[in-house]
Amino acid sequence: MFRVYTDLFYKDIEQKRKFEERYFSLIKEIAEKIHVKSRKNAKLVQLYSLINSKIKRIYENCEGSVSDFPENFEKLLTLTPREIASIYVAYKKNENFRKTVDKELGMVYGVKNGKHLVLDFSKFSRNIAQFFTLPDNEKVININTCFYCNKTYINSYEIENSKKNQFDIDHFIPKSRCSLFSLSLYNFVPSCQVCNSRIKQAGEYYKECNEEQLEMLFPSSENYKYMDYLRFRIIPKKNLYQQDSRSFSFSEMKDSFAIEFEKLDEKKSVLFEKEANAFDIKKRYEYHKKEFLAYIDKLRKYPDSYFLCYANIHGINEANNLNEAIFNKCFRNQERQIFQKIYNDIDSQIE
């Protein structure tokens, strides 16, 4: 529903470079402290070195058949959404490539001979979640609400000097489907537990998409434009306007209205509708329908003409302050509040 990174992130190349450098340094530092064995009786080696050698080996075996495959671990960590989409489509279509990746990135043994995948997200998960909330990253990513549903706050807090995260890190390309992108920065989507663990899980609502379409559906992609192609609409199920519209409250008649999506682009809207359906957005928003209808009631009670009259008496600044106090439009958008999109969509239709 929302793009993970800010507009500034895509425009400021230097800031993007520093962001990626911070992430690489974090993962490298952790991987250098972990030691594993490629076989049960083999010698312990540094995980970072092992991953790097395996990625290079896959790269050499590709022989140009997968053009975007990274040549080292650092590049794998910062693959763009377009590159991830390209490689994943190849992974699904090219059996030899898939077997090579799965073989190289299979199981390794830890110090106590416990088995885990080469790219084991659990070894890094806590640090990655904290990475997204670092003060240095606030300008490029704004974690307030779930990027998939926009109905749940996601944030971090401290208990006894220990930082706790109230969100999951979803893998857009599920790590259970392809472990190759388990640590790739732009495959991560901070999300609520309901969206990640209960609804999406390892599902692929984009499995029929081609490379270009898949890249468009990455919430970390600059080309992710759910906001532009799909709009909420609250429509009556029957003709309510036979009555005097001033004599009833929409919020008291919630069963007479339905939440629907308006497709703003004949082809591209279908892609984002798949995402909305995958996360059961309409059904989950249904419970809150009375709140949305109460907001429409306020818009009916305080139309623009009301604030124009108020401005004539008290001045434009006071009128704007009153408008904000009633509707919270600026605060809602600056602070990325829950239900930001549906309220903005209602505003756009009333206006």
Side-chain angles (χ1 to χ4, degrees):
M1 188 173 292
F2 282 92
R3 201 167 58 190
V4 174
Y5 298 99
T6 63
D7 291 340
L8 178 64
F9 176 76
Y10 298 103
K11 295 175 182 176
D12 192 334
I13 297 175
E14 181 62 17
Q15 187 163 239
K16 184 173 182 288
R17 183 187 63 78
K18 289 180 179 179
F19 177 71
E20 292 175 352
E21 283 183 352
R22 288 195 294 271
Y23 179 69
F24 171 65
S25 296
L26 170 70
I27 300 302
K28 182 182 180 183
E29 181 180 356
I30 298 169
E32 285 179 338
K33 294 177 181 178
I34 299 172
H35 290 80
V36 297
K37 295 180 287 187
S38 57
R39 297 182 305 280
K40 196 168 185 178
N41 298 318
K43 292 182 179 180
L44 285 169
V45 296
Q46 195 182 66
L47 179 60
Y48 176 78
S49 299
L50 179 68
I51 295 174
N52 222 18
S53 64
K54 285 180 172 292
I55 296 302
K56 288 181 178 179
R57 194 149 55 234
I58 298 172
Y59 175 79
E60 291 167 358
N61 288 338
C62 286
E63 297 180 351
S65 60
V66 183
S67 59
D68 288 309
F69 196 85
E71 59 186 20
N72 55 46
F73 187 30
E74 180 177 4
K75 179 57 180 171
L76 174 67
L77 293 176
T78 55
L79 287 170
T80 66
R82 187 201 63 76
E83 289 169 335
I84 296 174
S86 170
I87 296 168
Y88 187 56
V89 169
Y91 176 84
K92 291 197 297 182
K93 290 182 176 181
N94 187 326
E95 185 178 359
N96 290 333
F97 173 58
R98 183 169 63 252
K99 287 181 177 179
T100 299
V101 170
D102 292 347
K103 179 182 177 181
E104 291 291 345
L105 302 181
M107 293 294 180
V108 291
Y109 292 85
V111 175
K112 296 182 180 180
N113 287 330
K115 294 172 68 176
H116 61 81
L117 290 170
V118 172
L119 296 174
D120 186 352
F121 178 71
S122 67
K123 304 290 185 187
F124 304 82
S125 58
R126 182 181 177 185
N127 299 83
I128 290 173
Q130 291 177 349
F131 173 80
F132 278 97
T133 62
L134 291 175
D136 286 344
N137 296 332
E138 288 181 354
K139 290 184 179 180
V140 300
I141 182 170
N142 186 13
I143 296 183
N144 277 56
T145 66
C146 175
F147 289 92
Y148 285 128
C149 70
N150 189 221
K151 70 181 295 291
T152 305
Y153 287 110
I154 58 174
N155 49 40
S156 60
Y157 57 94
E158 287 191 6
I159 296 180
E160 299 178 350
N161 297 321
S162 177
K163 199 166 190 178
K164 306 291 183 181
N165 294 310
Q166 193 169 286
F167 61 89
D168 286 354
I169 297 293
D170 173 57
H171 290 74
F172 181 71
I173 303 296
K175 56 185 183 294
S176 60
R177 301 274 183 180
C178 180
S179 67
L180 178 63
F181 310 114
S182 294
L183 299 176
S184 295
L185 177 58
Y186 299 116
N187 193 39
F188 298 146
V189 182
S191 62
C192 67
Q193 292 182 344
V194 173
C195 284
N196 181 42
S197 304
R198 300 182 191 175
I199 296 180
K200 182 174 180 282
Q201 298 179 341
E204 293 182 286
Y205 52 88
Y206 45 74
K207 62 183 178 181
E208 303 299 328
C209 293
N210 60 34
E211 180 182 324
E212 180 183 358
Q213 293 169 331
L214 180 58
E215 192 260 338
M216 283 180 61
L217 285 172
F218 265 82
S220 57
S221 170
E222 186 176 8
N223 295 318
Y224 179 82
K225 297 181 179 179
Y226 187 120
M227 304 285 283
D228 296 341
Y229 297 132
L230 211 60
R231 181 165 65 182
F232 282 105
R233 294 204 65 180
I234 299 180
I235 60 175
K237 293 181 180 179
K238 53 186 177 182
N239 189 0
L240 299 175
Y241 300 102
Q242 292 176 348
Q243 307 177 53
D244 182 349
S245 63
R246 294 168 297 179
S247 66
F248 61 85
S249 166
F250 285 179
S251 61
E252 298 303 319
M253 305 176 69
K254 67 183 184 70
D255 292 336
S256 298
F257 292 86
I259 297 175
E260 300 292 347
F261 284 115
E262 179 183 4
K263 299 182 183 70
L264 303 179
D265 183 280
E266 186 176 344
K267 293 182 179 179
K268 294 177 181 177
S269 294
V270 175
L271 294 175
F272 296 101
E273 189 175 35
K274 287 182 179 180
E275 178 186 318
N277 291 338
F279 289 99
D280 291 329
I281 297 299
K282 287 195 292 187
K283 292 178 182 177
R284 293 165 69 192
Y285 273 48
E286 187 72 18
Y287 178 83
H288 303 276
K289 188 164 60 178
K290 190 170 183 176
E291 298 173 48
F292 308 142
L293 291 169
Y295 183 78
I296 295 175
D297 283 334
K298 282 202 295 186
L299 289 169
R300 294 166 62 218
K301 185 175 182 180
Y302 300 104
D304 288 344
S305 57
Y306 176 89
F307 296 103
L308 287 173
C309 292
Y310 193 91
N312 287 333
I313 300 171
H314 301 284
I316 188 67
N317 287 337
E318 287 299 315
N320 289 337
N321 290 338
L322 179 61
N323 188 303
E324 178 63 17
I326 294 173
F327 297 112
N328 292 316
K329 293 180 183 180
C330 291
F331 179 78
R332 178 205 312 155
N333 288 294
Q334 289 172 359
E335 299 299 323
R336 275 284 302 278
Q337 298 293 287
I338 56 171
F339 302 125
Q340 176 188 356
K341 176 166 173 54
I342 191 169
Y343 283 131
N344 286 350
D345 287 348
I346 291 171
D347 288 337
S348 69
Q349 292 165 73
I350 297 295
E351 292 170 1

